[in-house]
Amino acid sequence: MMHYFADVLLPLSLGKPFTYGLSAEDYKFLKPGFRVAVSFGKSKVYTAVVVKLHTNPPQRYTPKFIELILEETPSISEKQLQFWDWLSQYYLSKLGDILRAALPTTLLLESETLVVKKEISPEEKNQLKDEEFLIYEALEIKALSISEIIDILSKKSVLGLLQDMFSRGVVDLHQKLHEKYIPKKVRSVRLSPSLLKNQSLEGIFDSLKNAPKQKQLLVGIFDQNPKGDQWKRVRDLQKKSTVGPATLRALISKGVLEEEFFQEDRKLYDHEILNQSFKRSDAQQKALDEVKESFEDKSVVLLEGVTGSGKTEIYIELIRNTLKKGQQLLYLLPEISLTPQIVQRLQNRFGTAVTVYHSKFSVHERTEVWNNILNDDPKARIIVGTRSSLFLPFQNLGLLIVDEEHELSYKQFDPSPRYHARDSAVVLAGIQNAKVLLGSATPSVETSFNCKSGKYGRVKLTERYGAVELPEISTIDLKTAFKKKQIKGGFTEELITAMEQTLAMEKQIILFHNKRGYAPVLECLDCGHMPQCHQCDVTLTYHQYTDQLKCHYCGFQIAVPQNCHACGMTNLSTKGMGTQQIQEQVSSFFPNTKVARMDWDTTRGKWAFDKLIHSFAAQDVKILVGTQMVVKGLDFENVHLVGVLNADHLLNFPDFRAHERTYQMLRQVAGRAGRKKLRGKVMIQTYQPNHPIIKQVIEGNYEQMFSTQLDDRKEYHYPPFSRMIRILVSHSDLETVKKSSEWITNVLQQAKAGEVLGPVFPTIARLKNRYRMHILVKIGTEQSRDRVKSIISRTLERFESIALFKSCRVNLDIDPY
């Protein structure tokens, strides 16, 4: 007799699929990509995804059978599964982690244990203990979940008690699957057709002559609908009249109106098509033609255009060509903050063909976007999203645009999979047979190297749209300003004067400082003690508005102490500056000017970015203070002055990419100034005005920066002349971390797995009560990456089998940023 099996992926941190049995009928119906419910472990039921169908039974265990097929057609395409497989192999991620990251949680049904009473004799009932009797009595009414029983008993753990009741046959335990996705339903009404058959309109209105509000509501039904037989949304009717829900209920109960609930997609953004004509400059047209020409023999092309050169207009023309072919398009952005401006521009051209996908939207909204893309709906031909958009179920992808391709935000750090969206987009495009356009004013060294070696095409756009001049960039020497006492707070007198002149011209200002909070440190002036996080090796940051000290790594927070924790004295003072303090200082300098702040603290809400950006674009806010969020691709035409409060925080960061990132960040923030007509100004406060990178920023000399960085990286064996893998070992015990990381290092060195450096403590040695050590593996171009990855995988398998190291946590980061 033939037996049938399916290999399925579970949304758990597991490295391989598991095999389940199938009936012959299910074997014929299923194919890779279907979601199914399976039992895993003792009693849990999970949503799994079928990846392979076959007739080979597993050798080491007896397979369970699939419990339920959850859909009529697959939610995941075979190309998606192929992409996930590449992610797993390249980034050494577990397939279960990728599944969990890829699917909206609404598509991963969750299992909940339900407790059901069993019939027992009166004698057995009398023998129940007080807590058992309370549970049994509650179960007389309905089956209860474990969380409901916890609430009834006011106990944290009831599993032991329930297990005892289950073993004695008092209760039974069941699994219940919950579908999380809740479609949006819109309540609508219309004039009852059955009433119209028996009564004239005149008669209906006469019957309501003593009910003026009901009559008023009924009139709204006939707006743009003479017969009153079309469905009208209740919320639209209530907007046009002052009548309340009671009036509506009365008309429905009388049979004058009938109601229905219709399913509708949630509207994420709503901009109408504007019939505006946009004329491309000669430089833009030339760049567009060169991009199209490059795509004939290259799959990936870099569009390197200075800030304000009009790269987006070139994107729009390529989008239009893609839509004409009936294909889908993915427009990747590094930050959610860029989404509102880009979406508005695209919807002004393409209307409802534009949809958005990122983490600030609810799971229901993300599920609707997923389904629309899966069904190749015309509402989802242009997808604007952040890095997680790569996991969407594209049916006919023609083009991927990766805007600001150099941005660090494209790298996923935690949790696994720790992928880079730009590099993954190139692979996804290969699987989908699509083209990739990378856009940046300051490309990453790796991308420029790929262009130089001929792997990618390259097109340059060297002038701003409308012949607008690039901003004038100057430096202010903080050391000299301190000596001459020309500083107020974090501002030199020179920068304050420039701000006064800019406001007098009725222009706007952006101030960049990459530290949020009020002050990085609270210090006791008597003994020098600084409050630290109890769980991490960092000082707590002072937040003035909540009057708290917070850890920016684990979330730990305490009220600001009145006395020093070490010596008990009250002489406490803040040191350093964060964006909150800068906002406060600016408001004191210019009390009649509206100042806003853009950082992680002010943009947590779903529409917080949109409101802040709209307010600044409408010129309600004159001065915007922000962290790196203000650097990235925002387009404000009235900004004249950009001030960088301290460039040294960027230059002195302990990372081999620090100088490259400083150049990129300062050139990008400079690009926010003077985007229309009047030439903008950029003022950089620094203790190192003669630093080579600062000079390259002023000159806009990207080629010199690229050449210098390339020479340094070649000498010290950094990317792109080597590939790197970072192994992070963590444990709550310091000695265990040291022993375990040394064991891994020794094994890798003996196996000759590339150049193995470490183990060393990172900048923050303890995070969330776990000590951490890093091991860095460098793989030269002459070595096999696959061989080194295989050695690392085998080493970690051996490591996990050692009893002493079992409680250690090991994370792998391929191509760390």
Side-chain angles (χ1 to χ4, degrees):
M1 181 183 172
M2 181 72 77
H3 295 281
Y4 302 97
F5 302 96
D7 290 347
V8 303
L9 285 183
L10 288 147
L12 301 169
S13 197
L14 301 168
K16 62 176 183 178
F18 280 76
T19 304
Y20 284 79
L22 287 173
S23 66
E25 188 180 349
D26 287 347
Y27 181 80
K28 288 176 185 175
F29 175 73
L30 284 174
K31 63 180 181 180
F34 267 93
R35 290 183 305 129
V36 293
V38 298
S39 173
F40 189 77
K42 288 184 179 179
S43 57
K44 276 275 189 179
V45 176
Y46 294 95
T47 295
V49 174
V50 175
V51 293
K52 186 181 177 183
L53 297 162
H54 57 88
T55 56
N56 306 316
Q59 299 299 312
R60 297 184 180 180
Y61 58 92
T62 303
K64 298 178 182 179
F65 272 77
I66 282 173
E67 308 254 339
L68 187 67
I69 297 173
L70 297 171
E71 52 201 355
E72 295 295 322
T73 57
S75 292
I76 293 99
S77 70
E78 293 200 41
K79 286 183 178 179
Q80 275 179 289
L81 294 175
Q82 190 180 340
F83 179 53
W84 296 359
D85 191 53
W86 174 82
L87 283 171
S88 174
Q89 290 181 34
Y90 185 83
Y91 290 104
L92 297 180
S93 298
K94 291 177 179 173
L95 282 163
D97 292 336
I98 295 170
L99 171 62
R100 197 166 50 216
L103 261 65
T105 53
T106 52
L107 297 180
L108 294 172
L109 303 183
E110 67 179 9
S111 166
E112 186 178 38
T113 302
L114 279 183
V115 182
V116 182
K117 80 176 183 71
K118 293 179 80 172
E119 292 302 327
I120 58 175
S121 66
E123 290 80 15
E124 288 174 309
K125 198 169 182 180
N126 289 333
Q127 291 173 4
L128 293 176
K129 297 172 186 174
D130 289 349
E131 287 183 336
E132 293 175 342
F133 185 85
L134 200 61
I135 293 172
Y136 196 83
E137 199 173 43
L139 292 173
E140 299 269 7
I141 302 167
K142 62 166 189 172
L144 297 171
S145 68
I146 287 177
S147 57
E148 288 172 324
I149 292 173
I150 287 171
D151 291 337
I152 290 169
L153 296 182
S154 299
K155 290 180 69 174
K156 286 186 177 179
S157 177
V158 296
L159 292 179
L161 180 65
L162 290 173
Q163 187 62 42
D164 188 42
M165 292 176 74
F166 175 71
S167 63
R168 288 174 10 229
V170 178
V171 297
D172 204 356
L173 303 177
H174 293 291
Q175 293 295 322
K176 182 181 177 184
L177 284 172
H178 285 281
E179 178 68 75
K180 293 181 183 175
Y181 172 54
I182 304 168
K184 182 182 178 184
K185 298 281 189 178
V186 177
R187 190 184 184 198
S188 302
V189 293
R190 69 177 179 182
L191 197 62
S192 174
S194 58
L195 183 68
L196 275 173
K197 284 181 184 176
N198 304 319
Q199 199 173 353
S200 67
L201 282 176
E202 191 177 339
I204 294 169
F205 276 101
D206 284 344
S207 67
L208 299 174
K209 61 185 177 184
N210 294 325
K213 287 190 176 180
Q214 293 178 23
K215 198 171 179 180
Q216 180 190 345
L217 185 61
L218 196 60
V219 169
I221 297 283
F222 291 91
D223 183 33
Q224 298 178 347
N225 178 23
K227 294 182 180 179
D229 57 350
Q230 294 176 8
W231 293 101
K232 279 268 187 181
R233 294 182 183 185
V234 168
R235 66 166 177 258
D236 293 341
L237 287 171
Q238 290 176 334
K239 275 181 188 174
K240 291 180 181 178
S241 61
T242 55
V243 296
T247 307
L248 184 65
R249 284 197 300 270
L251 283 171
I252 293 169
S253 63
K254 287 178 182 178
V256 176
L257 297 180
E258 66 176 14
E259 67 175 338
E260 187 67 69
F261 289 84
F262 294 99
Q263 186 172 328
E264 184 182 89
D265 283 356
R266 293 161 172 85
K267 269 195 177 179
L268 307 180
Y269 288 89
D270 188 15
H271 301 290
E272 294 181 357
I273 293 180
L274 301 178
N275 294 317
Q276 296 175 324
S277 58
F278 293 87
K279 187 178 179 183
R280 287 188 292 277
S281 67
D282 292 341
Q284 282 177 313
Q285 186 60 52
K286 183 173 179 288
L288 176 63
D289 293 340
E290 287 178 7
V291 168
K292 290 178 180 177
E293 190 179 325
S294 292
F295 273 145
E296 289 177 11
D297 61 343
K298 303 282 186 189
S299 296
V300 184
V301 175
L302 169 67
L303 175 59
E304 183 185 340
V306 296
T307 52
S309 58
K311 293 188 291 292
T312 308
E313 281 303 313
I314 295 173
Y315 299 160
I316 285 171
E317 186 57 32
L318 293 168
I319 291 168
R320 184 174 283 112
N321 294 341
T322 305
L323 291 182
K324 283 178 184 175
K325 298 174 187 173
Q327 295 176 313
Q328 294 172 321
L329 174 137
L330 177 59
Y331 193 132
L332 276 181
L333 295 168
E335 288 273 5
I336 296 168
S337 59
L338 295 178
T339 310
Q341 283 197 333
I342 293 296
V343 170
Q344 181 168 359
R345 287 184 72 171
L346 293 177
Q347 286 192 339
N348 288 345
R349 305 290 186 90
F350 304 109
T352 56
V354 182
T355 194
V356 186
Y357 190 87
H358 61 60
S359 59
K360 289 275 180 170
F361 290 138
S362 71
V363 289
H364 306 301
E365 289 163 338
R366 293 203 297 274
T367 303
E368 282 164 6
V369 173
W370 180 285
N371 290 333
N372 287 339
I373 293 168
L374 182 67
N375 299 324
D376 199 12
D377 194 296
K379 289 182 288 190
R381 289 285 160 80
I382 303 168
I383 301 101
V384 179
T386 48
R387 59 177 180 256
S388 58
S389 309
L390 289 172
F391 294 115
L392 289 166
F394 302 106
Q395 298 302 299
N396 185 19
L397 190 61
L399 177 65
L400 289 96
I401 295 171
V402 185
D403 200 13
E404 310 294 349
E405 64 81 26
H406 64 277
E407 277 293 345
L408 178 65
S409 306
Y410 281 125
K411 173 69 175 176
Q412 165 79 5
F413 291 100
D414 272 311
S416 176
R418 296 173 181 84
Y419 64 101
H420 196 293
R422 178 199 61 217
D423 301 340
S424 302
V426 172
V427 175
L428 177 64
I431 293 169
Q432 295 273 356
N433 197 25
K435 301 290 185 183
V436 180
L437 182 66
L438 307 175
S440 178
T442 54
S444 65
V445 167
E446 287 83 354
T447 297
S448 289
F449 182 77
N450 282 332
C451 294
K452 186 179 178 182
S453 62
K455 187 177 178 182
Y456 296 170
R458 186 178 205 153
V459 175
K460 289 191 177 184
L461 193 54
T462 56
E463 63 182 55
R464 279 185 156 186
Y465 183 77
V468 176
E469 286 186 275
L470 286 164
E472 173 197 348
I473 303 175
S474 60
T475 58
I476 302 171
D477 189 344
L478 285 173
K479 194 184 295 182
T480 304
F482 266 112
K483 283 179 182 176
K484 294 182 177 180
K485 296 184 179 177
Q486 295 174 341
I487 283 192
K488 293 181 183 177
F491 294 79
T492 57
E493 289 181 2
E494 192 177 340
L495 180 55
I496 294 171
T497 302
M499 291 170 69
E500 288 170 348
Q501 292 169 351
T502 303
L503 293 173
M505 295 161 57
E506 296 189 349
K507 296 291 181 181
Q508 290 171 290
I509 301 165
I510 289 178
L511 298 172
F512 168 60
H513 187 67
N514 211 23
K515 285 187 180 292
R516 65 185 177 96
Y518 186 85
V521 172
L522 185 71
E523 183 184 27
C524 174
L525 298 180
D526 288 303
C527 72
H529 173 75
M530 294 176 282
Q532 287 204 317
C533 177
H534 291 181
Q535 304 180 108
C536 312
D537 286 342
V538 294
T539 54
L540 295 172
T541 302
Y542 173 48
H543 285 249
Q544 185 189 44
Y545 296 109
T546 56
D547 202 33
Q548 288 180 320
L549 297 177
K550 295 183 181 180
C551 174
H552 287 174
Y553 292 89
C554 71
F556 172 78
Q557 56 190 39
I558 57 171
V560 174
Q562 300 302 311
N563 302 80
C564 173
H565 291 157
C567 68
M569 302 301 284
T570 58
N571 200 6
L572 303 176
S573 176
T574 58
K575 298 288 182 184
M577 282 194 309
T579 47
Q580 286 182 9
Q581 189 173 165
I582 290 167
Q583 183 184 13
E584 184 185 87
Q585 289 177 7
V586 173
S587 296
S588 68
F589 299 154
F590 308 103
N592 300 319
T593 302
K594 192 169 181 182
V595 183
R597 177 165 50 92
M598 182 188 281
D599 56 25
W600 194 81
D601 299 309
T602 61
T603 54
R604 293 189 192 186
K606 178 177 175 180
W607 300 109
F609 283 118
D610 304 57
K611 289 174 183 174
L612 192 53
I613 287 168
H614 177 75
S615 178
F616 193 64
Q619 299 182 38
D620 296 332
V621 171
K622 294 296 183 185
I623 303 174
L624 182 63
V625 177
T627 56
Q628 59 183 340
M629 291 178 182
V630 300
V631 174
K632 302 172 182 180
L634 296 168
D635 187 3
F636 302 113
E637 57 183 58
N638 198 46
V639 173
H640 175 67
L641 174 67
V642 168
V644 178
L645 275 293
N646 193 333
D648 304 294
H649 293 312
L650 306 172
L651 280 169
N652 300 331
F653 196 76
D655 180 21
F656 77 93
R657 286 191 173 92
H659 287 179
E660 177 196 359
R661 285 194 189 136
T662 301
Y663 180 89
Q664 289 166 340
M665 207 167 280
L666 294 179
R667 285 301 299 181
Q668 288 287 337
V669 76
R672 303 313 111 211
R675 294 175 75 94
K676 302 287 179 186
K677 297 177 183 176
L678 187 67
R679 189 184 186 192
K681 290 180 71 176
V682 180
M683 305 184 85
I684 302 171
Q685 297 187 156
T686 175
Y687 288 96
Q688 306 171 73
N690 296 318
H691 194 287
I693 286 291
I694 299 291
K695 288 186 174 180
Q696 289 160 11
V697 168
I698 292 170
E699 296 165 4
N701 196 339
Y702 175 84
E703 291 302 326
Q704 188 182 16
M705 185 279 293
F706 171 67
S707 176
T708 304
Q709 291 302 305
L710 213 57
D711 290 344
D712 288 348
R713 293 191 190 187
K714 189 171 187 178
E715 184 176 350
Y716 297 109
H717 308 290
Y718 279 113
F721 300 102
S722 70
R723 291 298 176 111
M724 299 197 307
I725 299 175
R726 182 186 291 144
I727 304 169
L728 189 148
V729 186
S730 67
H731 195 275
S732 55
D733 178 65
L734 179 60
E735 287 305 313
T736 305
V737 168
K738 288 180 178 178
K739 286 177 184 175
S740 57
S741 53
E742 283 168 5
W743 186 93
I744 293 172
T745 303
N746 290 336
V747 172
L748 293 179
Q749 286 174 341
Q750 287 170 19
K752 294 185 168 47
E755 183 184 353
V756 184
L757 305 175
V760 295
F761 288 108
T763 310
I764 301 170
R766 184 172 61 106
L767 206 62
K768 298 180 182 178
N769 266 338
R770 297 183 73 88
Y771 292 95
R772 313 182 308 152
M773 293 198 84
H774 283 173
I775 303 159
L776 189 66
V777 179
K778 288 184 180 180
I779 310 167
T781 49
E782 73 286 351
Q783 295 172 297
S784 166
R785 278 179 290 165
D786 291 340
R787 176 185 168 273
V788 173
K789 285 180 182 179
S790 177
I791 291 171
I792 291 172
S793 297
R794 291 198 306 271
T795 300
L796 294 183
E797 283 176 14
R798 287 173 56 196
F799 176 82
E800 288 168 3
S801 66
I802 298 171
L804 177 64
F805 303 145
K806 271 193 173 178
S807 53
C808 288
R809 192 180 299 158
V810 180
N811 290 335
L812 290 174
D813 192 359
I814 313 298
D815 302 338
Y817 265 65

